[in-house]
Amino acid sequence: MKRVHAALGAVLFAIGTAASAQTWPTKPITFLNPFPAGGGTDTFARPIAAHVSQTIGQQVIVENQGGAGGTVGAANVVKRAPDGYNWFFGAVHHTIAESLYTRLQYGLEKDFEPITVAAFVPNVVVVHPKHADKFKNLQDLINYARANPGRLNYGSAGSGTTHHLSVELFKTMTKTFMVHIPYRGAGPLMLDLLAGQVDLAFDGMGTSSTQIKAGKLIPLAVTSQQRNPVLPNVPTVQEAGVPGYEVRTWYGLWALKGTPQPIKDRMWKEVVAAMDTPQLKKIWAEQGADPGGMSQAEMTKLVRSEIVKWAKVVKDAGAKVDN
């Protein structure tokens, strides 16, 4: 009898799920962005949300909830219902957090289901103009950091972000030491970087490119394997004297574990279609970003490979959470 009841329950659940997927959405949808407004994640989450709002018939709201390198928002969103109205717009930073934070209140692979990557963006090594005479190029910065360990500081969007680990990898490869100053997102970091409160950052192209073009920041190198069309005259870190160095930031959308598959498939379709519009293509190009659009299965493989990659960087660099 128990088996009969269990089977009947499964059938009723499947029928209910199918019905809810057919009528979805009937109310506003939330993309939780686990970083403060104004950062790189916002750069891509908000245009996607705006376009999907138009095509799906319900408003898609981007809710910012920063803290601890994006882990606070991630921990909070998993407490919500996996009903297709709660989504997580996170980043590569969350694959780093898996090995950097010892007491996460969630598991990226256990509690979330990848939908698609929104954008791949290189970081760019930027310094405040007050250092213009001192650092003509990246090698000048390396030489100074070697001769003056601890005299330079660098800001990040938080412990465990690529802003943080890209510098830790750089320090390991160049045998330098610079002091880490973590912020609660790329937006607050940028404010202090522009004010000269921090010396440099390996910032995302999405938040730095406008400031570079305005002459408010000086770019020394990009962290990608090739030069970026937004900054064609800026060399890569490899070209500038650190062979083998490459880091890229990416942003993506996850569903909560248990979200009905038909709803996940619909959201994937909507997001990929949004990124294929002229308006969003223009925004991505202006940020020096490569569009994502990979399948759910492909993003699942990417997440696994990035967790393995960054675990090694954390171990080799001896990186610690210091926020």
Side-chain angles (χ1 to χ4, degrees), residues 13-209:
F13 176 78
I15 293 173
T17 298
S20 65
Q22 288 177 356
T23 58
W24 179 87
T26 59
K27 60 182 181 180
I29 295 164
T30 298
F31 283 177
L32 189 138
N33 172 0
F35 299 100
T41 315
D42 256 7
T43 301
F44 303 103
R46 291 188 181 277
I48 289 175
H51 190 275
V52 173
S53 294
Q54 296 174 2
T55 61
I56 212 164
Q58 289 288 343
Q59 185 179 8
V60 180
I61 302 164
V62 176
E63 177 186 342
N64 296 89
Q65 194 175 109
T71 61
V72 170
N76 288 338
V77 76
V78 297
K79 300 173 184 177
R80 301 181 183 183
D83 54 5
Y85 295 96
N86 298 293
W87 304 79
F88 181 62
F89 208 107
V92 61
H93 315 312
H94 296 91
T95 66
I96 299 171
E98 292 291 297
S99 56
L100 188 65
Y101 288 82
T102 58
R103 296 183 180 179
L104 287 179
Q105 298 177 34
Y106 67 92
L108 188 62
E109 295 175 292
K110 176 175 67 75
D111 296 314
F112 296 96
E113 298 175 332
I115 300 300
T116 194
V117 170
F120 292 97
V121 189
N123 287 358
V124 56
V125 184
V126 287
V127 297
H128 188 271
K130 70 181 181 181
H131 295 301
D133 293 335
K134 190 186 305 178
F135 305 138
K136 300 294 185 183
N137 51 52
L138 188 66
Q139 193 60 55
D140 286 347
L141 187 150
I142 293 171
N143 292 340
Y144 181 88
R146 284 175 178 164
N148 301 275
R151 290 289 298 276
L152 289 177
N153 60 52
Y154 73 93
S156 80
S159 295
T161 61
T162 53
H163 301 75
H164 173 203
L165 269 294
S166 60
V167 184
E168 293 302 315
L169 177 60
F170 178 81
K171 286 162 57 178
T172 298
M173 295 179 71
T174 57
K175 295 179 173 56
T176 55
F177 175 69
M178 295 177 284
V179 178
H180 179 211
I181 302 179
Y183 287 82
R184 292 176 63 86
L189 159 63
M190 182 56 66
L191 291 176
D192 271 10
L193 187 58
L194 292 173
Q197 297 301 311
V198 292
D199 296 313
L200 64 119
F202 282 45
D203 189 38
M205 185 76 78
T207 47
S208 276
S209 59

Side-chain angles (χ1 to χ4, degrees), residues 202-227:
F202 282 45
D203 189 38
M205 185 76 78
T207 47
S208 276
S209 59
T210 301
Q211 308 300 339
I212 291 169
K213 291 175 181 177
K216 296 179 180 180
L217 292 176
I218 298 175
L220 299 181
V222 292
T223 65
S224 49
Q225 195 168 32
Q226 291 87 28
R227 294 193 182 199

